[in-house]
Every structure is written in C-alpha cells, then in structure tokens.
C-alpha cells in the first residue's frame, strides 16, 4: 500500500482563507505536519480548528463557570451534562444552536438542530423525554421575518413530532437586531439509568470502529466552518452547507442504539454532528489517548464518487460512530439491520496517536491527533468592558396613557403576545407524561412511572445583556432559577447557548466576557452549576451583530408532582400577594420599548441574595401545599403577570379575574405596574393563609404585600380602570395568528 504524500503544490492563500484559516493558523498546521497538508487534511484541520468546534475565542472564559455539585455526574466536555435525580436515575440534557443554517434554510436548519441535540442525549444512553427551544427573529416588519418564523416552527415541529418527543415550552421573541441572523436554540432532556451512562472516550486499542445509521451524502459539507463566519450578501449561496434531516430514520437510530446499549457491546459512542465523521472520530480517540485507522471505502454513501474530503467533512444526519467489544460485531449488526439501518466496520483503534485515512490502496490522510485538538488556537481576544448606564430621568419614563390601555398594547406586542400559534404546531402531549404544557413558567414532565417531575425552562433577556452584560448574564440564570421555583421545583443545573456577534470586535468580546462573569456569579450564589452548553459566535451580517443572547436552559426536580404550582388563578375570592420588593424599574423594560420607544438605560439590578431568599421561601410554600398558584414577575412587570394568571385560568375554563389596588402615594403608577424589578413572584391564597404567609415572610425578612383580590369577569385597576377577560384574551391571542396569515 502506498503512503500519503504531500500535495504537489501547497494550498494557495485563497484556498486557505476559504477554509476559515488565517496565515498564522495555516503556518502552525505545516509546522505540526512537517509538510503542507493535502486537501483532505486541510479540510480536517479547518473544521477541527473552527470556532464552532474548537471554542478558540471562548475556552479561557468558559473555565470560569462553576460546573460541580454533589448531584452532578458529568459536567461540560461530553455530549451532554448529567445530573443525579435520585432512585438510580439521571437526567441528561444540553442546549445547542443552529442559527446560521436556520437563517439560510429555515425548515431544514431548525429540523436538523432538533435532531442533532436529541442525538447528543441518546448517545449517552438516555431516552429523550422533552424538548424546548429558544427562538429569536427579526423585526416583524422585515420582509424575511414571516418566512423565517413559518419555516423554523414547521421544522421544529416536523422533526420533534415525528420522533415522538414532546416539545413542552420555550421562547419566541422579535427584535430588529436579528433581521440578518436569527437564533434557533434547541434543548433536549433525557432520562437514563445512572449506572448505564455511555461516554465517548475510545481507549481500547485494536477494537473495531463501527459506523451506524444513515448513509453519508454531500449535504452539510463545511457546516461547522460556515457556522464560524458572519453573513454577507452572498449568504444564500451557503445553502449546500445546510444538512437535510430525516426524523423517521433518527427514530430508528434511537431505538437501535438504546437496544444495543442494553447489552455490553458498546465501549464508546459519539454522534456525528458538526464536522461529521471528522469530529466524532477525533474526539473519541483524543479523549482516549489513542489513534485510529479508517477505511473510507467502507463508509456507506448515498452518492456516487464521493471523495475522502467529502466523506470526512459531510454533516449528513442520523449517523453514529461506535467502538465495540470484539466478538460483538455480529450481534450488533443484527440489531441495526433489524431496524433497517446501515452498519459498517470502518476502522480500528490504534496506539499510534494518529488518524490514518485509507482509500483504495492509498493512505489519503495521515494526521497526528494531538494537534487537531490540543494545538487548536486559543485566543485571549481584547475586549471592552461595558459600564453600567446611568438611570434615565423619571420624567423621561412617564406616560400619559391610561394603565389599561398600556396593558392592551403590551399584551398584543410581539414579545408578550400569546405564542399558541407556535406551540400548537408541536406535539406537547406525546408520551403522555407532560404535566405542564407550554405557557407556564416552566414545562413539567413526569418521570415515567413515578411521582417525580422534571421542570425545564429556557430564558434570556437580550436587552438587559445589551444594556449591561454582567447584569444581563446574571439575570438570565436567575430567571430560569425563578421559573423552576415558581412551579415548585428545586433548581439543579443549567445548560447554556451563548449567542454573540464577532468576537474579533472588542465590543462584542466584552459582551461575552461580561455575560460570563454575571452567569458565573449567579450560578455560585444559587448553587446552580453549568453542566453543558454551546457557544455561537459570528452571529452578524455585514458587521451588524445581534443583541448578546446567552440563552439559559434550567432543569429542576419536583419530588412529588401532587405538590406543584401553576400560573392560573385557582379560586375566586383569594388575596393576591406580591413577594419581593417593587421599586418601579422601567429602564430597559418592555414598557419603555413598546410605549415610549426607548431601549436605553440600565437593566434592573439583580440581588442574588434576595433571589435565593425569596425563591427558597416560595418553594417551601409550594412543597408544604400552602399555595398552588404562583407566577414569577418578569417582562412587562406586575400587571402583565396578573393578566397572564387571569388568562391562564380562562384557558382552563375558569373565568377568574382580579381587582388590583393602586400603588401607594409616591410611587409612579406606571413604574409600580410595569416595572421589571427582579426576585418577585405573585401568589394567591385565602385570607387566613395569606395572613400567616405574610407573618412568616416578615420573620424571614421577605417583603410581601397584598395587592388585590381574585374574582370577577374583568381585570380591574383601582376600582375603575377595567378590561374584560374576554377582550384581554382577544388582544393577547390575535396578534401572532393574524401576522402569520397576512
């Protein structure tokens, strides 16, 4: 067999640049190889050293996030994070981005994002039990927005529904900053036996490397490189880099993998996601300290004449790579053939520390594994710190509009309107374990066959992060913690999807650094570690970046699902109480943006000690069965939260309005009603229970105030300013369907 030889001529500058490498990076490649790379080798280095795969701009900062706790089984570094939820069970979860593909080809981009994150979960031995998503679109008036919303929502529903996994919640926001670069962040949570977790490190020399799943095609080639570059006028030309998904094949892959995982055949396993066969194989042997040989002629392909370059870089979906116990090959093959999937022994693990690629009688690639991973550049990029803006003068935040007219506008605004049009396209009840469906503070699924529940929430307020990244990063973490608490769950851990613009710009890098600092502080204060995540840079078009958007996915556990809370008012005649201090913070609020056209000023302060104290108090009330109605206060403030509680009751068939008192003298009425002060919850209870709750709060130094009474067919303010619940429901639910039908 002939051996690989250097190319006749070294790649030219244009070819190198087209692979996303700069001059210094290419020079380092030649130094590590001792020669110029051939095209296949250049392609492998380019994807392994891409921002998407190597985290070269973020790695030093990610290390500052807290990742450990007594209940954490596996933190960042594997396909997904793993936490112990008791009774020998583990929850496995992660959130990832598919932003660039979804902008170029919204249906397939979103669909394959969902498929990819589900593979990350079942690769580790877990059956997926719930999906979430966090979506950011451009200005509704932008000519592409409606098309992108339609395609993304259809893609998410199309893939998740076919897989039979419920989508139980998420976010959907609009802002002109996302006109040229939408965000599609997908999260999956799975359930596994904590003694049967599967990892990716390939340590066993001589053992077979097996390819399973779908065939390899030419779709998705250089997807990782595309995701590591900003957009321009020619972005549509990148459509061939978007993968094409087949959820029915993925369902077969899921069942086949879980069936084989019930045996002792699998020693290591990795899904083929970004950079396909390249990244999966390199990650397995780099973690195991080994090498491998691959015979590319054995890789199942669906197109004629595929080159080694194309085979190694294809991001075709629904594929897995495994290392098997010798002697188990035939039994494993039978499992995958039963599920009508490809099964091919494509190589073996070696002790050489090298990746050797063969095709025909020729070595077409011969690379040291270490440099592909360890020598990927790590950049300590310069950054600009973002100072906290000065508060806006109170007079500039005043409005002459009546509060109920303001409420009408806010409830019909793109960010606060009902998202029923979105989530009714998702099957949120499949598997029959969904307890709290979309629209609550957190989605909740039963741990099948038990009284336990897993609560899941995704949150971020990008306008806060833009105003002051450190405060915004802390608030994003705290809001997921608060949403889990509001249903009665003990928050356990987070995953993240950190979406930013070009890190080579100091302003953007400063946003990233600030958000990381805020996140880290909040995670430590709330005992809420980061166990998995994803960084997505270069989310900008022609130099215009998105708002900094560190989306947070939180997971918590409810020990007894009979002791949980929902946002809907349960009974008329109950006192409505607000827990936490209201100062009337309107800077950077939805009120300021939608009513006053202002987006400046500082975000609301985040007092993490108050978050912890108030949240622990609320959770204890729910766990003790003292309250069953609870809602956190976030976008839109107190009156929006009360309106959402009334509408949730109406959706459940109960017409329960509310009469809300006017604020004390000295507090601007709009600030009291629409201010977005943090660490606050609204609960309801009968008069006797409310009295004891207030007394207990006083002993714990927790502000609690009665603000009104539940009941009636209207939401009324101060006894005179009122709106009927039916009218409120109409304005809340009409905007999105009418927008999409236009």
């Amino acid at each position: 067999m002939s051996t690989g030889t250097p190319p006749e001529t070294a790649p030219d500058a244009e070819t190198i640049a087209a692979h996303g490498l700069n001059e210094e990076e290419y020079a380092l490649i030649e130094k590590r190889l001792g020669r110029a790379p051939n095209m296949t080798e250049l392609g492998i280095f380019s994807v392994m050293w891409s921002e998407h795969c190597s985290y070269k701009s973020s790695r030093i900062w990610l290390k500052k996030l807290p990742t450990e706790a007594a209940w954490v089984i596996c933190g960042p570094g594997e396909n997904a994070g793993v936490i112990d939820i008791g009774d020998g069970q583990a929850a496995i979860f992660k959130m990832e981005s598919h932003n660039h593909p979804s902008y170029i080809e919204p249906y397939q981009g979103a669909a394959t994002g969902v498929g990819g994150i589900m593979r990350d979960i079942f690769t580790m031995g877990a059956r997926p039990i719930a999906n979430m998503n966090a979506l950011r679109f451009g200005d509704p008036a932008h000519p592409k927005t409606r098309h992108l919303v339609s395609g993304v929502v259809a893609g998410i529903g199309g893939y998740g529904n076919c897989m039979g996994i419920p989508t139980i919640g998420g976010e959907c926001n609009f802002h002109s900053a996302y006109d040229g670069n939408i965000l599609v962040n997908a999260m999956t949570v799975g359930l596994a036996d904590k003694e049967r977790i599967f990892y990716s490190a390939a340590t066993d020399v001589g053992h077979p490397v097996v390819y399973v799943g779908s065939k390899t095609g030419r779709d998705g080639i250089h997807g990782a490189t595309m995701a590591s570059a900003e957009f321009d006028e020619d972005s549509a030309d990148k459509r061939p880099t978007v993968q094409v998904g087949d959820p029915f094949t993925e369902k077969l892959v899921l069942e086949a993998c879980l069936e084989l995982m019930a045996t002792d055949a699998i020693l290591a396993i990795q899904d083929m996601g970004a950079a396909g066969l390249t990244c999966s194989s390199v990650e397995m042997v780099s973690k195991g300290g080994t090498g491998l040989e691959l015979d590319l002629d054995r890789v199942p392909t669906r197109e004629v004449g595929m080159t080694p370059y194309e085979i190694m870089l294809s991001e075709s979906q629904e594929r897995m790579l495994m290392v098997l116990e010798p002697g188990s090959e035939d039994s494993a093959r039978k499992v995958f053939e039963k599920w009508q999937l490809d099964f091919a022994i494509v190589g073996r693990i070696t002790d050489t520390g090298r990746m050797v690629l063969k095709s025909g009688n020729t070595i077409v690639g011969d690379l040291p594994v270490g440099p592909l991973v360890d020598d990927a550049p790590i950049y300590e990029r310069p950054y600009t710190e973002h100072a906290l803006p000065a508060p806006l003068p109170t007079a500039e935040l005043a409005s002459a509009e009546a509060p109920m007219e303001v409420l009408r506008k806010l409830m019909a605004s793109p960010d606060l309107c009902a998202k029923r049009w979105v989530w009714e396209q998702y099957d949120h009840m499949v598997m029959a374990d969904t307890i709290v469906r979309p629209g609550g503070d957190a989605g909740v699924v039963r741990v099948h066959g038990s009284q336990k529940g897993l609560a899941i929430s995704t949150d971020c307020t990008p306008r806060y992060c833009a105003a002051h990244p450190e405060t915004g990063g802390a608030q994003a973490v705290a809001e997921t913690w608060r949403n889990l608490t509001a249903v009665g769950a003990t928050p356990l851990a987070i995953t993240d999807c950190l979406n930013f613009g070009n890190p080579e710009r100091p302003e953007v890098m400063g946003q990233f650094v600030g958000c990381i600092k805020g996140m880290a502080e909040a995670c430590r204060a709330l005992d809420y570690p980061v166990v998995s995540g994803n960084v997505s840079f270069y989310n900008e078009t022609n130099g215009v970046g998105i708002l900094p958007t560190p989306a947070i996915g939180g997971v918590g556990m409810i020990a007894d699902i009979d002791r949980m809370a929902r946002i809907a008012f349960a009974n008329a005649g109950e006192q409505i109480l607000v827990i936490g201090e209201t100062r009337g913070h309107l800077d950077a609020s939805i009120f300021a943006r939608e009513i006053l056209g202002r987006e400046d000023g500082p975000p609301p302060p985040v007092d993490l000690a108050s978050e912890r104290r108030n949240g622990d108090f609320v959770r204890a009330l729910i766990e003790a069965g003292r309250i069953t109605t609870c809602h956190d206060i976030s976008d839109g403030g107190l009156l929006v939260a009360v309106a959402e509680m009334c509408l949730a009751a109406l959706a459940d068939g109960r017409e329960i309005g509310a009469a809300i008192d006017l604020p004390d003298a000295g507090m601007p009425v709009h600030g009291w009603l629409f201010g977005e002060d943090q660490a606050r919850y609204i609960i309801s209870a009968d008069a006797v229970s409310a009295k004891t709750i207030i007394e207990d709060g006083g002993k714990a130094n927790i502000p609690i105030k009665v603000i009104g009474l539940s009941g009636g067919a209207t939401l009324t303010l101060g006894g005179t300013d009122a709106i009927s619940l039916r009218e409120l429901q109409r304005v809340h639910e009409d905007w999105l369907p009418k927008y999409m039908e236009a």
Side-chain angles (χ1 to χ4, degrees), residues 65-86:
L65 295 171
T67 60
E68 297 180 350
W71 51 90
V72 174
I73 296 173
C74 177
E78 271 293 338
N79 286 290
V82 186
I83 57 172
D84 190 334
I85 60 169

Side-chain angles (χ1 to χ4, degrees), residues 210-223:
V210 175
Y211 171 118
V212 301
S214 188
K215 287 180 168 59
T216 295
R218 290 189 170 97
D219 55 315
I221 293 173
H222 269 300

Side-chain angles (χ1 to χ4, degrees), residues 432-447:
D433 279 319
T434 302
I435 300 170
V436 177
R437 62 187 69 187
D441 283 319
V444 181
V445 289
R446 180 198 306 269
V447 176

Side-chain angles (χ1 to χ4, degrees), residues 50 192 199 255 284 353 382 406 421 471 538 673 706 714 730:
S50 68
Y199 298 98
E255 299 301 340
M284 292 177 79
V406 171
W421 181 91
T471 301
Y538 297 97
L673 292 171
V706 176
T714 64
R730 184 190 65 78

Side-chain angles (χ1 to χ4, degrees), residues 398-410:
S399 171
E401 290 195 65
M404 265 326 157
E405 185 57 32
V406 171
L407 180 67
R408 282 173 175 268
K409 291 181 178 179
L410 293 184

Side-chain angles (χ1 to χ4, degrees), residues 15 60 104 168 179 186 224-225 286 322 325 410 418 451 530 632 675 683 698 721 727:
T15 300
I60 61 171
I104 296 170
I168 64 169
D179 282 351
T225 306
S286 66
M322 300 177 176
E325 185 71 51
L410 293 184
Q451 279 295 101
V530 182
D632 90 304
I683 63 172
D721 196 5
E727 173 66 7

Side-chain angles (χ1 to χ4, degrees), residues 109-125:
T112 53
V114 172
I117 196 62
M118 283 197 277
R119 283 197 306 279
D120 281 340
I121 302 310
F122 70 76
T123 296
M124 297 193 70

